[in-house]
PDB file of all heavy atoms in Angstrom:
ATOM      1  N   THR A 194      -9.979  16.442  18.990  1.00  0.00           N
ATOM      2  CA  THR A 194     -10.893  15.790  18.043  1.00  0.00           C
ATOM      3  C   THR A 194     -11.599  16.773  17.115  1.00  0.00           C
ATOM      4  O   THR A 194     -11.913  16.425  15.979  1.00  0.00           O
ATOM      5  CB  THR A 194     -11.936  14.967  18.811  1.00  0.00           C
ATOM      6  OG1 THR A 194     -12.639  15.822  19.734  1.00  0.00           O
ATOM      7  CG2 THR A 194     -11.270  13.830  19.565  1.00  0.00           C
ATOM      8  N   ARG A 195     -11.853  18.003  17.578  1.00  0.00           N
ATOM      9  CA  ARG A 195     -12.649  18.948  16.791  1.00  0.00           C
ATOM     10  C   ARG A 195     -11.824  20.019  16.091  1.00  0.00           C
ATOM     11  O   ARG A 195     -12.341  20.678  15.190  1.00  0.00           O
ATOM     12  CB  ARG A 195     -13.692  19.619  17.696  1.00  0.00           C
ATOM     13  CG  ARG A 195     -14.684  18.641  18.295  1.00  0.00           C
ATOM     14  CD  ARG A 195     -15.725  19.349  19.137  1.00  0.00           C
ATOM     15  NE  ARG A 195     -16.672  18.413  19.734  1.00  0.00           N
ATOM     16  CZ  ARG A 195     -17.687  18.759  20.503  1.00  0.00           C
ATOM     17  NH1 ARG A 195     -17.900  20.059  20.776  1.00  0.00           N
ATOM     18  NH2 ARG A 195     -18.490  17.842  21.011  1.00  0.00           N
ATOM     19  N   ILE A 196     -10.580  20.195  16.526  1.00  0.00           N
ATOM     20  CA  ILE A 196      -9.744  21.221  15.908  1.00  0.00           C
ATOM     21  C   ILE A 196      -8.546  20.596  15.200  1.00  0.00           C
ATOM     22  O   ILE A 196      -8.370  20.752  13.985  1.00  0.00           O
ATOM     23  CB  ILE A 196      -9.258  22.250  16.960  1.00  0.00           C
ATOM     24  CG1 ILE A 196     -10.453  22.922  17.643  1.00  0.00           C
ATOM     25  CG2 ILE A 196      -8.372  23.283  16.300  1.00  0.00           C
ATOM     26  CD1 ILE A 196     -11.339  23.717  16.712  1.00  0.00           C
ATOM     27  N   ALA A 197      -7.706  19.892  15.948  1.00  0.00           N
ATOM     28  CA  ALA A 197      -6.452  19.395  15.385  1.00  0.00           C
ATOM     29  C   ALA A 197      -6.683  18.330  14.321  1.00  0.00           C
ATOM     30  O   ALA A 197      -6.104  18.395  13.228  1.00  0.00           O
ATOM     31  CB  ALA A 197      -5.566  18.844  16.507  1.00  0.00           C
ATOM     32  N   VAL A 198      -7.521  17.342  14.620  1.00  0.00           N
ATOM     33  CA  VAL A 198      -7.734  16.244  13.671  1.00  0.00           C
ATOM     34  C   VAL A 198      -8.392  16.731  12.369  1.00  0.00           C
ATOM     35  O   VAL A 198      -7.938  16.368  11.276  1.00  0.00           O
ATOM     36  CB  VAL A 198      -8.549  15.112  14.326  1.00  0.00           C
ATOM     37  CG1 VAL A 198      -8.966  14.078  13.291  1.00  0.00           C
ATOM     38  CG2 VAL A 198      -7.728  14.448  15.428  1.00  0.00           C
ATOM     39  N   PRO A 199      -9.452  17.553  12.409  1.00  0.00           N
ATOM     40  CA  PRO A 199     -10.008  18.045  11.134  1.00  0.00           C
ATOM     41  C   PRO A 199      -9.026  18.873  10.316  1.00  0.00           C
ATOM     42  O   PRO A 199      -8.996  18.761   9.079  1.00  0.00           O
ATOM     43  CB  PRO A 199     -11.214  18.881  11.575  1.00  0.00           C
ATOM     44  CG  PRO A 199     -11.609  18.311  12.891  1.00  0.00           C
ATOM     45  CD  PRO A 199     -10.319  17.928  13.555  1.00  0.00           C
ATOM     46  N   LEU A 200      -8.225  19.710  10.981  1.00  0.00           N
ATOM     47  CA  LEU A 200      -7.264  20.516  10.232  1.00  0.00           C
ATOM     48  C   LEU A 200      -6.177  19.659   9.593  1.00  0.00           C
ATOM     49  O   LEU A 200      -5.669  19.987   8.520  1.00  0.00           O
ATOM     50  CB  LEU A 200      -6.628  21.563  11.154  1.00  0.00           C
ATOM     51  CG  LEU A 200      -7.540  22.706  11.603  1.00  0.00           C
ATOM     52  CD1 LEU A 200      -6.818  23.623  12.578  1.00  0.00           C
ATOM     53  CD2 LEU A 200      -8.053  23.496  10.400  1.00  0.00           C
ATOM     54  N   ALA A 201      -5.811  18.567  10.259  1.00  0.00           N
ATOM     55  CA  ALA A 201      -4.803  17.652   9.702  1.00  0.00           C
ATOM     56  C   ALA A 201      -5.434  16.527   8.902  1.00  0.00           C
ATOM     57  O   ALA A 201      -4.737  15.568   8.544  1.00  0.00           O
ATOM     58  CB  ALA A 201      -3.956  17.073  10.839  1.00  0.00           C
ATOM     59  N   GLY A 202      -6.727  16.633   8.597  1.00  0.00           N
ATOM     60  CA  GLY A 202      -7.437  15.568   7.898  1.00  0.00           C
ATOM     61  C   GLY A 202      -6.811  15.145   6.578  1.00  0.00           C
ATOM     62  O   GLY A 202      -6.636  13.938   6.324  1.00  0.00           O
ATOM     63  N   PRO A 203      -6.442  16.087   5.698  1.00  0.00           N
ATOM     64  CA  PRO A 203      -5.802  15.663   4.435  1.00  0.00           C
ATOM     65  C   PRO A 203      -4.503  14.902   4.651  1.00  0.00           C
ATOM     66  O   PRO A 203      -4.228  13.925   3.951  1.00  0.00           O
ATOM     67  CB  PRO A 203      -5.562  16.995   3.706  1.00  0.00           C
ATOM     68  CG  PRO A 203      -6.579  17.922   4.271  1.00  0.00           C
ATOM     69  CD  PRO A 203      -6.734  17.526   5.701  1.00  0.00           C
ATOM     70  N   GLY A 204      -3.712  15.334   5.618  1.00  0.00           N
ATOM     71  CA  GLY A 204      -2.473  14.618   5.906  1.00  0.00           C
ATOM     72  C   GLY A 204      -2.729  13.237   6.469  1.00  0.00           C
ATOM     73  O   GLY A 204      -2.029  12.274   6.132  1.00  0.00           O
ATOM     74  N   ILE A 205      -3.734  13.105   7.335  1.00  0.00           N
ATOM     75  CA  ILE A 205      -4.083  11.791   7.880  1.00  0.00           C
ATOM     76  C   ILE A 205      -4.578  10.871   6.780  1.00  0.00           C
ATOM     77  O   ILE A 205      -4.236   9.680   6.739  1.00  0.00           O
ATOM     78  CB  ILE A 205      -5.139  11.955   8.991  1.00  0.00           C
ATOM     79  CG1 ILE A 205      -4.558  12.746  10.159  1.00  0.00           C
ATOM     80  CG2 ILE A 205      -5.654  10.602   9.454  1.00  0.00           C
ATOM     81  CD1 ILE A 205      -5.578  13.089  11.238  1.00  0.00           C
ATOM     82  N   ALA A 206      -5.389  11.413   5.861  1.00  0.00           N
ATOM     83  CA  ALA A 206      -5.882  10.601   4.750  1.00  0.00           C
ATOM     84  C   ALA A 206      -4.738  10.141   3.850  1.00  0.00           C
ATOM     85  O   ALA A 206      -4.706   8.984   3.409  1.00  0.00           O
ATOM     86  CB  ALA A 206      -6.903  11.392   3.936  1.00  0.00           C
ATOM     87  N   ALA A 207      -3.790  11.034   3.576  1.00  0.00           N
ATOM     88  CA  ALA A 207      -2.651  10.667   2.736  1.00  0.00           C
ATOM     89  C   ALA A 207      -1.795   9.600   3.406  1.00  0.00           C
ATOM     90  O   ALA A 207      -1.373   8.625   2.773  1.00  0.00           O
ATOM     91  CB  ALA A 207      -1.810  11.907   2.424  1.00  0.00           C
ATOM     92  N   ALA A 208      -1.543   9.768   4.714  1.00  0.00           N
ATOM     93  CA  ALA A 208      -0.747   8.773   5.440  1.00  0.00           C
ATOM     94  C   ALA A 208      -1.453   7.432   5.491  1.00  0.00           C
ATOM     95  O   ALA A 208      -0.823   6.373   5.337  1.00  0.00           O
ATOM     96  CB  ALA A 208      -0.461   9.279   6.858  1.00  0.00           C
ATOM     97  N   GLY A 209      -2.773   7.450   5.695  1.00  0.00           N
ATOM     98  CA  GLY A 209      -3.523   6.203   5.715  1.00  0.00           C
ATOM     99  C   GLY A 209      -3.507   5.500   4.377  1.00  0.00           C
ATOM    100  O   GLY A 209      -3.381   4.267   4.305  1.00  0.00           O
ATOM    101  N   LEU A 210      -3.628   6.259   3.288  1.00  0.00           N
ATOM    102  CA  LEU A 210      -3.607   5.663   1.957  1.00  0.00           C
ATOM    103  C   LEU A 210      -2.251   5.054   1.642  1.00  0.00           C
ATOM    104  O   LEU A 210      -2.160   3.925   1.134  1.00  0.00           O
ATOM    105  CB  LEU A 210      -3.968   6.724   0.912  1.00  0.00           C
ATOM    106  CG  LEU A 210      -3.922   6.274  -0.554  1.00  0.00           C
ATOM    107  CD1 LEU A 210      -4.870   5.107  -0.795  1.00  0.00           C
ATOM    108  CD2 LEU A 210      -4.247   7.433  -1.486  1.00  0.00           C
ATOM    109  N   LEU A 211      -1.178   5.770   1.945  1.00  0.00           N
ATOM    110  CA  LEU A 211       0.158   5.232   1.701  1.00  0.00           C
ATOM    111  C   LEU A 211       0.418   3.992   2.551  1.00  0.00           C
ATOM    112  O   LEU A 211       1.010   3.015   2.080  1.00  0.00           O
ATOM    113  CB  LEU A 211       1.203   6.302   1.991  1.00  0.00           C
ATOM    114  CG  LEU A 211       1.236   7.500   1.033  1.00  0.00           C
ATOM    115  CD1 LEU A 211       2.258   8.532   1.504  1.00  0.00           C
ATOM    116  CD2 LEU A 211       1.558   7.062  -0.385  1.00  0.00           C
ATOM    117  N   SER A 212      -0.040   4.006   3.789  1.00  0.00           N
ATOM    118  CA  SER A 212       0.131   2.841   4.654  1.00  0.00           C
ATOM    119  C   SER A 212      -0.643   1.651   4.121  1.00  0.00           C
ATOM    120  O   SER A 212      -0.161   0.512   4.169  1.00  0.00           O
ATOM    121  CB  SER A 212      -0.332   3.175   6.077  1.00  0.00           C
ATOM    122  OG  SER A 212       0.414   4.237   6.615  1.00  0.00           O
ATOM    123  N   PHE A 213      -1.838   1.892   3.611  1.00  0.00           N
ATOM    124  CA  PHE A 213      -2.637   0.804   3.034  1.00  0.00           C
ATOM    125  C   PHE A 213      -1.913   0.162   1.855  1.00  0.00           C
ATOM    126  O   PHE A 213      -1.875  -1.066   1.721  1.00  0.00           O
ATOM    127  CB  PHE A 213      -3.995   1.349   2.583  1.00  0.00           C
ATOM    128  CG  PHE A 213      -4.912   0.309   1.996  1.00  0.00           C
ATOM    129  CD1 PHE A 213      -5.753  -0.426   2.826  1.00  0.00           C
ATOM    130  CD2 PHE A 213      -4.935   0.064   0.634  1.00  0.00           C
ATOM    131  CE1 PHE A 213      -6.599  -1.384   2.289  1.00  0.00           C
ATOM    132  CE2 PHE A 213      -5.770  -0.896   0.089  1.00  0.00           C
ATOM    133  CZ  PHE A 213      -6.605  -1.625   0.925  1.00  0.00           C
ATOM    134  N   ILE A 214      -1.319   0.985   0.998  1.00  0.00           N
ATOM    135  CA  ILE A 214      -0.607   0.459  -0.171  1.00  0.00           C
ATOM    136  C   ILE A 214       0.607  -0.351   0.261  1.00  0.00           C
ATOM    137  O   ILE A 214       0.867  -1.440  -0.275  1.00  0.00           O
ATOM    138  CB  ILE A 214      -0.206   1.617  -1.100  1.00  0.00           C
ATOM    139  CG1 ILE A 214      -1.455   2.270  -1.694  1.00  0.00           C
ATOM    140  CG2 ILE A 214       0.719   1.123  -2.217  1.00  0.00           C
ATOM    141  CD1 ILE A 214      -1.171   3.502  -2.519  1.00  0.00           C
ATOM    142  N   PHE A 215       1.356   0.146   1.248  1.00  0.00           N
ATOM    143  CA  PHE A 215       2.536  -0.584   1.716  1.00  0.00           C
ATOM    144  C   PHE A 215       2.137  -1.904   2.377  1.00  0.00           C
ATOM    145  O   PHE A 215       2.813  -2.926   2.196  1.00  0.00           O
ATOM    146  CB  PHE A 215       3.345   0.280   2.685  1.00  0.00           C
ATOM    147  CG  PHE A 215       4.225   1.283   2.008  1.00  0.00           C
ATOM    148  CD1 PHE A 215       4.020   2.646   2.174  1.00  0.00           C
ATOM    149  CD2 PHE A 215       5.273   0.873   1.199  1.00  0.00           C
ATOM    150  CE1 PHE A 215       4.831   3.579   1.545  1.00  0.00           C
ATOM    151  CE2 PHE A 215       6.102   1.801   0.569  1.00  0.00           C
ATOM    152  CZ  PHE A 215       5.876   3.149   0.742  1.00  0.00           C
ATOM    153  N   CYS A 216       1.067  -1.905   3.159  1.00  0.00           N
ATOM    154  CA  CYS A 216       0.601  -3.157   3.768  1.00  0.00           C
ATOM    155  C   CYS A 216       0.105  -4.124   2.704  1.00  0.00           C
ATOM    156  O   CYS A 216       0.347  -5.337   2.790  1.00  0.00           O
ATOM    157  CB  CYS A 216      -0.516  -2.858   4.773  1.00  0.00           C
ATOM    158  SG  CYS A 216       0.010  -2.005   6.270  1.00  0.00           S
ATOM    159  N   TRP A 217      -0.584  -3.622   1.712  1.00  0.00           N
ATOM    160  CA  TRP A 217      -1.095  -4.462   0.630  1.00  0.00           C
ATOM    161  C   TRP A 217       0.051  -5.137  -0.119  1.00  0.00           C
ATOM    162  O   TRP A 217      -0.058  -6.303  -0.518  1.00  0.00           O
ATOM    163  CB  TRP A 217      -1.928  -3.601  -0.321  1.00  0.00           C
ATOM    164  CG  TRP A 217      -2.571  -4.353  -1.442  1.00  0.00           C
ATOM    165  CD1 TRP A 217      -1.987  -4.805  -2.592  1.00  0.00           C
ATOM    166  CD2 TRP A 217      -3.949  -4.749  -1.527  1.00  0.00           C
ATOM    167  NE1 TRP A 217      -2.893  -5.448  -3.388  1.00  0.00           N
ATOM    168  CE2 TRP A 217      -4.098  -5.429  -2.762  1.00  0.00           C
ATOM    169  CE3 TRP A 217      -5.055  -4.579  -0.702  1.00  0.00           C
ATOM    170  CZ2 TRP A 217      -5.333  -5.940  -3.180  1.00  0.00           C
ATOM    171  CZ3 TRP A 217      -6.277  -5.093  -1.118  1.00  0.00           C
ATOM    172  CH2 TRP A 217      -6.407  -5.759  -2.330  1.00  0.00           C
ATOM    173  N   ASN A 218       1.142  -4.426  -0.308  1.00  0.00           N
ATOM    174  CA  ASN A 218       2.248  -4.957  -1.097  1.00  0.00           C
ATOM    175  C   ASN A 218       3.209  -5.831  -0.295  1.00  0.00           C
ATOM    176  O   ASN A 218       4.144  -6.391  -0.882  1.00  0.00           O
ATOM    177  CB  ASN A 218       3.049  -3.802  -1.717  1.00  0.00           C
ATOM    178  CG  ASN A 218       2.265  -3.062  -2.784  1.00  0.00           C
ATOM    179  OD1 ASN A 218       1.362  -3.619  -3.406  1.00  0.00           O
ATOM    180  ND2 ASN A 218       2.591  -1.800  -2.988  1.00  0.00           N
TER     181      ASN A 218
END
Side-chain angles (χ1 to χ4, degrees):
T194 57
R195 298 182 181 181
I196 301 298
V198 171
L200 289 176
I205 296 174
L210 177 59
L211 292 176
S212 300
F213 181 88
I214 294 175
F215 280 116
C216 290
W217 183 282
N218 292 334

